[in-house]
Amino acid sequence: MYNIAKGMNEKEIDDYVDFVLKNMSLEDKVKQMVGNGINVKVLFDLGFGKRVYDAAGSEKYNIPPLKFTDGPRGVIIPGSTCFPVSMARGASWDVDLEERVGDVIGKEVRAHGGNLFGGVCINNLRHPSWGRAQETYGEDTFLIGELGAALVRGVQKHNVMATAKHFAANSIEKSRFKVNVKMDERTLREVYLPHFRRCVEVGCATVMSAYNKFRGKFCGHNDYLLRKILKDEWNFQGFVHSDWVYGVKDTLGGIIGGLDVEMPRAKYYKFKKIEEALQDGKISVSMIDQAAGRVMRTILRYTTKEDPQIYEPKLIGCDEHRQVALEAAEKCMVLLKNENDVLPLDKKKIVKLGIFGKLARIRNTGDHGSSNVNTKKVITPLKGIREYVGDNIEILYEDGRNVQNVKNTAKEVDAAIVFVGLTYKDEGEYIHELRIGGDRENLSLHKDHIELIKLIAEQNDNCIVVLIGGSAIVMEEWKNQVPAILMAWYSGMEGGKALAKIIFGEVNPSGKLPFTIPIDPKHLPFFKANIDEIEYGYYHGYTLFEKEGYEPAFPFGFGLSYTTFDYSNLQVDVNEGKIIANVDVNNVGTLAGDEIVQLYIGFENSQIERPLKLLKGFSRVSLKPNKKKNIKIEVPTKNLAWFNPKSKSWEVEKIKYTLFMGSSSKNEDLLSIQFNIEN
Ligand code: GLC
């Protein structure tokens, strides 16, 4: 037995792995490159996600196995803390919070006996129809990268290997196993890769290759993505594992393409197949050594580190962790409309409160795919409101099926809250074995939900619409008929409690949209759920809307508060490779609240094709009434660069730029000032 010491440094680990590779049998090396998982049928029969899944490892050389579990909403093994979905946390724009979410998840992965976390899902939301929109943080690469990197940092604090997925350009669900995604080099480098690079830069231990093809080659076989860009250019030291079951299509493709581990079990990476390929001279032993070496080095880097604490099972779903889920739910909800200050409701003035819609009383934490957290204790909106008001307010509930009852109740109550939106039946990971999930064909609400809203709005002027979902919902058919709209997302196990606190003003809503909500779906890029090939353009979301001059229903970065924030005194300075921006933010309202200050850079003077502006910084600030703070955000000049496909390098133009700071991406919400980059 070889004693692997706690606290080995990187050189000791590298030397040890070199020793192992010199002495390990070929068969054991190949064992490092496969999951030990069981076949898919048994996987589902036993209940997917009920435990960690093993891969790699060597008893002889004292290399612990990988122990994998998902997912973006929390650890999917039963009993774990169920957070608001990633898209909801995208609306919090709170990097510190996301790191603390990662901290909780890291502890719970370890408490479940795991060491590999598959939950940093950072694909771009190119179109709101994408079935797995809820698993990523939004449409903008900078926002996705900052929050994805925060989750990586939090999880890896507990010696858990994080996975950035799905590398790359996985933004259609139904066709994910077959679709060939094409795009030009600037679109790849400037739009679809920067957030993956950001996670690699903060030390993300592993990357999961996507199912789809990229420029004609499956991502699990794509040497341009996996070897040229990820491992060579970005100097990625970890390993690439495949998406499950269908992530590898043949032995040579995977090995030559640079895929290190086939999950969840050996199919194309069976020893016999690899041995054959070696004998035929189609692959080399050094390719096997590289893959097995990456896996063993990464495992040892994480499993020989001193643990910051003990990970007992009682940590799983504990109250302290639920508090973080509650905070996330409170910070993610986005107030989209609030005419006549209908919200917050005044507990002292409301005698009767109507709650309408089936979604008020069902557990609705998101899709039922690989990110589904199997948690028992979910506070639904109806439960949260009932618990919040106690006996002080009479709650009248109608699920919406009996029109006459809805009409009578809506007329009788002082305010009416109607819960509408989506469930796992409408959007989610497409699991054909279970016939669930897929992309949304229709971006509006269900017809019966729209009718319910209209019916209630006719009877009650204080009609508040609460939307549940994981992506943009088109609201044109009804949004002008109600005074208040709140996007509440799939808000996790504590969502109902957070919602009640926001409705009654104990918490001031602070969420900002992580995507653009269109007036007309025709303004969005082309999207087709079942498609064999597609070209992704350089523009989508707010960059597309600004380029084409489309007016959104609600813009990227938009969200109201119960108070008002005033911006003034914008200043900019450029030195030592940084743009230093300052702005005063003043809470001129009557309630304390959080504001998310956004910083955009304008490229209207660019000599090349570029978006009108791009998000390059943001900062959350808490302010009491009549308090003012100066917010400073620094942007490294290199972050203004564009990728020149001719020189294959990043270049910063020496031009005049515009700096914008304010409360949303809408120009009317932004102060602006110009600055030059000269050298
Ligand atoms: C799924 C998903 C991936 C997940 C993996 C394991 O198909 O695409 O996100 O991590 O399989 O559950």
Side-chain angles (χ1 to χ4, degrees):
M1 287 294 268
Y2 303 86
N3 66 326
I4 301 290
K6 276 281 180 194
M8 282 171 85
N9 65 36
E10 291 206 354
K11 175 149 181 4
E12 286 163 334
I13 289 172
D14 290 352
D15 293 347
Y16 180 66
V17 170
D18 290 348
F19 161 78
V20 170
L21 288 172
K22 287 194 179 74
N23 296 278
M24 186 179 250
S25 71
L26 180 64
E27 194 151 6
D28 279 353
K29 289 178 185 175
V30 171
K31 208 175 138 316
Q32 307 313 310
M33 300 167 64
V34 293
N36 313 336
I38 42 192
N39 72 43
V40 182
K41 188 168 172 349
V42 176
L43 206 58
F44 282 99
D45 292 349
L46 274 186
F48 179 70
K50 289 280 192 295
R51 57 185 178 76
V52 292
Y53 292 97
D54 286 13
S58 159
E59 271 184 32
K60 177 177 179 185
Y61 290 101
N62 222 341
I63 310 268
L66 292 168
K67 293 184 169 296
F68 174 92
T69 185
D70 280 307
R73 205 184 307 164
V75 179
I76 64 169
I77 302 169
S80 306
T81 302
C82 179
F83 288 98
V85 294
S86 303
M87 187 62 87
R89 302 190 324 254
S92 77
W93 296 56
D94 191 330
V95 172
D96 167 67
L97 169 65
E98 192 60 14
E99 188 162 331
R100 286 185 286 116
V101 169
D103 182 66
V104 166
I105 290 176
K107 287 176 191 167
E108 296 195 3
V109 169
R110 293 296 306 275
H112 279 294
N115 61 23
L116 175 59
F117 172 65
V120 186
C121 180
I122 50 174
N123 293 111
N124 307 65
L125 180 73
R126 173 181 171 272
H127 189 289
S129 288
W130 179 36
R132 294 180 74 175
Q134 62 193 267
E135 293 190 52
T136 190
Y137 294 105
E139 69 185 33
D140 176 84
T141 179
F142 182 81
L143 179 63
I144 300 170
E146 291 309 298
L147 293 174
L151 187 62
V152 167
R153 286 193 298 267
V155 164
Q156 296 193 157
K157 259 188 237 166
H158 298 283
N159 299 330
V160 172
M161 292 163 265
T163 301
K165 72 182 185 182
H166 308 81
F167 194 65
N170 175 174
S171 295
I172 305 175
E173 183 52 20
K174 209 70 183 278
S175 325
R176 63 178 174 160
F177 298 133
K178 64 173 182 179
V179 65
N180 177 31
V181 176
K182 300 188 298 182
M183 63 180 80
D184 67 34
E185 197 62 12
R186 286 195 62 199
T187 303
L188 174 67
R189 301 287 188 147
E190 296 177 38
V191 182
Y192 286 88
L193 289 189
H195 37 288
F196 281 98
R197 182 171 192 170
R198 181 79 174 102
C199 288
V200 167
E201 281 169 354
V202 298
C204 189
T206 80
V207 165
M208 181 186 284
S209 55
Y211 288 125
N212 54 281
K213 286 180 190 167
F214 174 73
R215 291 181 185 161
K217 258 191 192 175
F218 284 108
C219 287
H221 303 174
N222 202 296
D223 51 317
Y224 187 65
L225 288 176
L226 304 185
R227 291 189 184 281
K228 171 95 177 53
I229 294 178
L230 180 63
K231 294 177 179 178
D232 295 349
E233 279 185 39
W234 296 356
N235 192 28
F236 174 63
Q237 294 300 310
F239 63 85
V240 182
H241 46 125
S242 72
D243 203 339
W244 280 32
V245 184
Y246 314 107
V248 194
K249 303 288 182 183
D250 70 66
T251 308
L252 292 182
I255 301 284
I256 295 166
L259 178 76
D260 303 305
V261 184
E262 180 182 22
M263 292 293 275
R265 45 86 188 88
K267 181 173 180 186
Y268 296 103
Y269 280 24
K270 277 196 166 80
F271 175 63
K272 280 277 159 262
K273 292 188 174 182
I274 289 189
E275 196 180 37
E276 226 169 82
L278 284 166
Q279 281 155 2
D280 299 348
K282 291 184 180 146
I283 57 172
S284 63
V285 173
S286 78
M287 286 178 174
I288 305 302
D289 283 357
Q290 281 169 35
R294 281 176 178 270
V295 175
M296 294 191 286
R297 268 192 300 277
T298 308
I299 291 175
L300 290 176
R301 281 192 184 147
Y302 282 82
T303 56
T304 61
K305 270 187 197 150
E306 294 297 340
D307 284 336
Q309 67 176 74
I310 295 166
Y311 300 99
E312 296 171 291
K314 69 180 182 188
L315 280 171
I316 298 165
C318 67
D319 285 349
E320 188 193 328
H321 293 177
R322 286 175 70 100
Q323 282 308 311
V324 182
L326 174 61
E327 180 188 349
E330 290 171 355
K331 288 182 170 177
C332 74
M333 294 187 188
V334 184
L335 184 60
L336 293 173
K337 186 176 181 185
N338 191 26
E339 274 169 4
N340 327 317
D341 290 342
V342 164
L343 285 173
L345 297 181
D346 183 339
K347 261 177 85 170
K348 293 194 276 312
K349 290 191 182 139
I350 300 285
V351 176
K352 288 185 180 182
L353 176 61
I355 307 285
F356 301 86
K358 193 182 83 166
L359 297 192
R361 61 171 170 71
I362 64 166
R363 292 161 39 103
N364 191 11
T365 58
D367 83 343
H368 287 191
S370 62
S371 67
N372 184 21
V373 174
N374 196 324
T375 184
K376 298 270 168 297
K377 306 170 275 189
V378 175
I379 300 178
T380 64
L382 184 58
K383 185 170 190 304
I385 292 170
R386 277 197 166 127
E387 285 176 352
Y388 193 84
V389 302
D391 302 334
N392 304 320
I393 295 177
E394 185 185 353
I395 300 287
L396 287 76
Y397 174 69
E398 286 295 336
D399 66 10
R401 281 175 295 183
N402 183 317
V403 170
Q404 198 48 55
N405 288 359
V406 167
K407 268 177 141 174
N408 299 341
T409 303
K411 198 179 291 179
E412 179 187 352
V413 295
D414 303 308
I417 309 176
V418 49
F419 290 84
V420 290
L422 308 166
T423 71
Y424 72 94
K425 292 177 183 147
D426 301 304
E427 57 178 352
E429 183 173 358
Y430 178 58
I431 312 280
H432 67 275
E433 291 90 348
L434 307 175
R435 302 264 177 283
I436 54 166
D439 308 288
R440 273 190 297 158
E441 298 298 326
N442 170 358
L443 293 180
S444 302
L445 290 174
H446 293 289
K447 282 268 164 283
D448 57 334
H449 286 188
I450 295 171
E451 277 145 34
L452 183 62
I453 292 169
K454 290 181 175 176
L455 189 62
I456 295 162
E458 279 158 16
Q459 307 299 331
N460 194 308
D461 292 342
N462 297 322
C463 176
I464 299 145
V465 173
V466 175
L467 296 169
I468 313 283
S471 183
I473 293 171
V474 173
M475 311 178 204
E476 295 315 299
E477 293 161 85
W478 52 269
K479 81 169 198 276
N480 298 325
Q481 296 165 45
V482 297
I485 304 170
L486 179 74
M487 181 67 188
W489 309 105
Y490 300 119
S491 51
M493 67 197 306
E494 292 289 316
K497 190 185 288 184
L499 180 91
K501 291 169 82 175
I502 285 175
I503 291 287
F504 289 98
E506 183 180 336
V507 167
N508 191 344
S510 57
K512 301 278 184 179
L513 288 175
F515 48 61
T516 305
I517 298 181
I519 289 174
D520 183 346
K522 285 204 268 318
H523 293 162
L524 296 166
F526 170 76
F527 183 93
K528 193 163 181 289
N530 200 344
I531 192 165
D532 294 324
E533 185 163 280
I534 187 169
E535 174 91 20
Y536 282 1
Y538 183 61
Y539 298 93
H540 67 262
Y542 70 90
T543 61
L544 177 66
F545 276 61
E546 292 193 346
K547 175 177 183 290
E548 301 298 339
Y550 297 147
E551 188 60 33
F554 298 98
F556 175 78
F558 177 82
L560 298 174
S561 169
Y562 292 151
T563 191
T564 308
F565 296 101
D566 183 58
Y567 284 75
S568 60
N569 190 20
L570 175 62
Q571 295 176 1
V572 65
D573 188 16
V574 182
N575 67 25
E576 286 161 25
K578 279 188 291 193
I579 295 127
I580 299 146
N582 281 278
V583 72
D584 288 340
V585 184
N586 191 359
N587 179 349
V588 295
T590 57
L591 286 173
D594 281 13
E595 169 67 327
I596 294 157
V597 180
Q598 299 158 47
L599 183 154
Y600 296 84
I601 299 287
F603 301 96
E604 68 282 2
N605 300 312
S606 172
Q607 309 301 304
I608 49 157
E609 171 80 28
R610 296 197 78 168
L612 275 175
K613 65 173 179 286
L614 285 172
L615 177 73
K616 292 294 179 186
F618 57 89
S619 172
R620 177 183 267 268
V621 58
S622 299
L623 285 169
K624 290 192 174 19
N626 303 316
K627 291 292 180 211
K628 179 159 78 168
K629 260 184 202 163
N630 180 271
I631 300 298
K632 174 178 164 186
I633 299 179
E634 293 187 356
V635 179
T637 314
K638 68 181 175 55
N639 287 11
L640 273 51
W642 65 289
F643 186 81
N644 183 338
K646 289 194 180 62
S647 62
K648 291 189 176 39
S649 65
W650 291 90
E651 296 176 12
V652 177
E653 290 184 279
K654 311 288 182 280
I655 56 169
K656 188 185 288 292
Y657 295 86
T658 303
L659 175 88
F660 298 92
M661 285 182 90
S663 63
S664 92
S665 65
K666 209 165 59 171
N667 284 340
E668 300 83 86
D669 289 340
L670 295 165
L671 297 181
S672 65
I673 189 170
Q674 297 215 310
F675 66 94
N676 282 306
I677 299 282
E678 264 115 25
N679 48 27

